[in-house]
Amino acid sequence: MDILREVVESFIRLVKSEIHPGAVLVCADDVFEVTDVPSVVLQGPALSEDGDRRTQAMLTKRNEPDLTFEQCRHPRLYHLDFDLIVTTGKEAELLDLTEKVARFYQLHPTLTVGEHGPLAITELVPLGGLKRVNLSNLRQSSGRCRIEDCPVYDGRVTAGKLAASVKIEVERTGETP
């Protein structure tokens, strides 16, 4: 189960379709160079565990028609933080992309990924809220967003059969008065 990769790839596809078709992902803390403008760069994800929601309980999935079950530990939930860096050649283009990003968060409060259900997308720092070193004559703005509570499983699954019926035998061990 490569859930983390599936979530990140789904997020990139959504950003490409809604904000800019040339959006790219670079690893957190990597140095990168923008060669074409306008550009949208997602830098990350930086993971942090939602420790308050950690549990030791087991998760059981029953398949009653086949009379089987699968059981595993509840997943740990991680927040995926991305820095969003927008680079343009002109101020007007930067303002247009800034508005497009703000609209993106309003239109897409969640990211639905397969059977895992919706994961919240939260704008942590609005575009323009993060300070960046800009050593070019291009216009740049950056912000931060988060995909919340991405489940990561330990990969250990126990499978077995459900009880189809219960048979109780009572044995008499003595005389009754």
Side-chain angles (χ1 to χ4, degrees):
M1 290 194 259
D2 295 330
I3 296 169
L4 190 64
R5 181 177 178 175
E6 188 178 350
V7 168
V8 171
E9 288 174 350
S10 295
F11 183 59
I12 294 167
R13 282 192 297 274
L14 183 62
V15 168
K16 283 184 174 195
S17 70
E18 297 293 322
I19 298 176
H20 189 271
V24 295
L25 175 72
V26 297
C27 292
D29 300 325
D30 269 5
V31 177
F32 62 93
E33 181 180 357
V34 173
T35 56
D36 294 327
V37 291
S39 75
V40 174
V41 174
L42 292 167
Q43 192 171 26
L47 274 69
S48 60
E49 185 183 0
D50 188 357
D52 292 339
R53 296 193 55 202
R54 186 190 293 186
T55 179
Q56 296 299 319
M58 299 299 281
L59 182 64
T60 303
K61 186 176 181 180
R62 296 184 330 180
N63 182 346
E64 291 183 15
D66 293 337
L67 295 173
T68 60
F69 74 91
E70 289 183 342
Q71 189 175 50
C72 65
R73 290 181 147 192
H74 268 276
R76 289 197 179 174
L77 303 175
Y78 289 90
H79 300 315
L80 312 178
D81 292 352
F82 295 89
D83 285 353
L84 181 69
I85 302 118
V86 174
T87 306
T88 63
K90 299 177 183 173
E91 289 86 358
E93 288 177 321
L94 183 61
L95 289 172
D96 291 342
L97 267 173
T98 300
E99 183 175 350
K100 208 171 190 180
V101 169
R103 192 177 307 115
F104 171 81
Y105 294 122
Q106 293 174 22
L107 296 174
H108 301 283
T110 61
L111 175 69
T112 302
V113 181
E115 64 190 36
H116 312 296
L119 302 174
I121 300 175
T122 305
E123 180 181 35
L124 296 177
V125 178
L127 203 58
L130 290 179
K131 303 297 180 205
R132 294 196 57 78
V133 175
N134 186 0
L135 302 175
S136 69
N137 61 351
L138 300 173
R139 306 300 172 250
Q140 228 176 34
S141 187
S142 60
R144 183 169 291 138
C145 65
R146 168 179 283 175
I147 298 173
E148 296 183 8
D149 296 333
C150 177
V152 176
Y153 294 85
D154 65 6
R156 292 182 281 177
V157 177
T158 304
K161 295 201 173 274
L162 290 173
S165 63
V166 178
K167 183 178 180 182
I168 299 175
E169 292 184 15
V170 178
E171 184 177 311
R172 296 178 78 166
T173 59
E175 293 182 44
T176 39

